[in-house]
Amino acid sequence: MYLPEQIDIVEVGPRDGLQSLRKWVPTEDKVRMVDRLSQAGFPVIEVTGFVHPRVIPNLQDAEAVCERIARRPGIVYRGLAPNARGAERAAAARVDEIVGLTIASASYLKKNQNMTPEQADAQAIEAFRIADAKGLRYVLAIGMAFWCPYEGLIPQDRVQAMVGRFRDAGIRRLYLAGSVGMEDPRHVNALFTRLYDRYPDIELGFHVHNLSGMATANIVAALDAGAAWLEGAICGIGGGIAMPETLGAVGNFPTEDMVRMMTLMQVQTGLDPDAVLAASRDIARLLDIAPRSHAAHGSTREAVMKWGREHPHEHPA
């Protein structure tokens, strides 16, 4: 098993977490959330999404959030822009990185965005050109890269062809999103390996969901195949996808668990797992939610050892 010496952890909670939360979070609380994540030291924070407010009303204050956050040197503040119009807005809001979006499932695109794959891909490439012209970093998310609730398994040939088109357009940084969290480790490892073998000059990240409970195995599978970064959400918030019937939040993987897992495996993240856990608890209080992470509920080595010291086993006489 290959493990890198270092991996970046990208925090997507302020965007992917809040966009599907079942309540409005005031702008000032969004700003406090981003500032608390900055304080914890995340290298990349996905602050918001530049989408039409009718589509995602929870992110209608994207510009206001970007204007008011306390930007720290060395941290990349990024925004989701699924189309050219969103990219223009993101650039005007002074994000450091724009995230484009396309979907590997034609059925999902048709049912939920009324677009064809060709239309979505064209918008992603146009968003890249806008970012590139303005000197901004760009990364392209490929949603439903492994499995779709309408189509089931996504053929690897399809994803490879998509990555090839984007590479030819100049896009070198992409991430594969387990948008529903139903992928398996063998599939994850095989797809990352295949893409790197075919396109050795690209960088691939892994956006992690955990509906099936296989996220930790999928993370290791992605690292073994060379994933360049991992993406999770503080407290495990959000991760909901648009479905005809409400599926609910399908489970972003909690970054506090992700950071602790990497630390235990001696993969450097530049983050202190205890500091990230403290940020998780503060943000859970801010949002008035229950964190979904194992770490927040005491499932850490330190917490278990403390319990053992305080509750010594009593042997019968």
Side-chain angles (χ1 to χ4, degrees):
M1 180 174 64
Y2 165 79
L3 291 174
E5 292 184 4
Q6 184 273 337
I7 194 80
D8 282 339
I9 304 294
V10 174
E11 171 57 53
V12 304
R15 193 279 301 175
D16 197 20
L18 297 187
Q19 75 173 28
S20 55
L21 208 63
R22 294 178 181 272
K23 62 180 178 180
W24 166 253
V25 175
T27 303
E28 57 268 27
D29 287 344
K30 291 190 178 92
V31 172
R32 291 189 187 102
M33 180 182 181
V34 173
D35 288 349
R36 186 65 183 86
L37 293 166
S38 295
Q39 197 177 61
F42 283 98
V44 181
I45 302 172
E46 193 165 301
V47 175
T48 189
F50 295 87
V51 296
H52 199 288
R54 283 201 305 269
V55 179
I56 303 181
N58 279 2
L59 301 182
Q60 62 187 277
D61 54 355
E63 281 84 358
V65 172
C66 288
E67 182 180 358
R68 293 168 56 181
I69 58 174
R71 302 180 187 228
R72 296 196 172 205
I75 295 178
V76 173
Y77 297 94
R78 80 181 192 186
L80 176 74
N83 52 43
R85 170 62 182 145
E88 294 282 7
R89 289 177 58 200
R94 299 186 303 112
V95 301
D96 302 306
E97 179 176 84
I98 292 176
V99 189
L101 175 64
T102 191
I103 306 291
S105 165
S107 300
Y108 185 87
L109 268 171
K110 179 63 177 175
K111 290 177 182 291
N112 292 284
Q113 292 169 249
N114 197 29
M115 296 175 72
T116 66
E118 292 76 19
Q119 290 171 324
D121 292 356
Q123 284 292 314
I125 291 170
E126 183 61 25
F128 161 69
R129 289 176 178 149
I130 290 168
D132 194 50
K134 296 180 182 296
L136 300 174
R137 289 172 28 140
Y138 183 85
V139 59
L140 177 58
I142 300 182
M144 304 287 175
F146 304 97
W147 194 90
C148 169
Y150 299 116
E151 297 185 7
L153 284 174
I154 300 297
Q156 293 185 41
D157 287 346
R158 183 189 304 171
V159 179
Q160 179 178 318
M162 292 175 70
V163 171
R165 287 195 296 274
F166 296 130
R167 180 193 169 279
D168 290 345
I171 298 170
R172 295 293 188 273
R173 299 179 64 247
L174 311 96
Y175 72 71
L176 305 181
S179 304
V180 189
M182 296 300 293
E183 59 278 0
D184 67 87
R186 184 169 186 169
H187 186 181
V188 170
N189 187 269
L191 184 55
F192 272 90
T193 299
R194 177 176 183 159
L195 294 175
Y196 274 131
D197 285 347
R198 182 67 180 85
Y199 310 111
D201 59 343
I202 64 172
E203 280 188 285
L204 293 172
F206 182 36
H207 182 100
V208 189
H209 286 225
N210 195 33
L211 185 62
S212 67
M214 288 189 277
T216 50
N218 290 331
I219 288 170
V220 172
L223 294 179
D224 179 67
W229 73 90
L230 301 172
E231 308 207 350
I234 202 77
C235 302
I237 59 174
I241 59 171
M243 296 283 287
E245 300 293 332
T246 300
L247 183 62
V250 298
N252 277 319
F253 191 79
T255 41
E256 59 267 38
D257 285 345
M258 189 179 283
V259 170
R260 192 166 297 272
M261 177 183 174
M262 294 301 103
T263 302
L264 292 175
M265 295 198 303
Q266 300 178 37
V267 177
Q268 300 302 313
T269 65
L271 294 161
D272 178 345
D274 292 329
V276 173
L277 178 57
S280 166
R281 288 173 171 153
D282 288 346
I283 288 169
R285 285 192 290 270
L286 175 69
L287 301 178
D288 192 25
I289 60 170
R292 296 174 178 166
S293 63
H294 290 284
H297 294 281
S299 297
T300 68
R301 290 180 179 179
E302 296 80 6
V304 173
M305 289 186 72
K306 181 176 183 293
W307 186 91
R309 289 193 301 270
E310 294 174 354
H311 300 82
H313 184 69
E314 296 182 4
H315 293 279

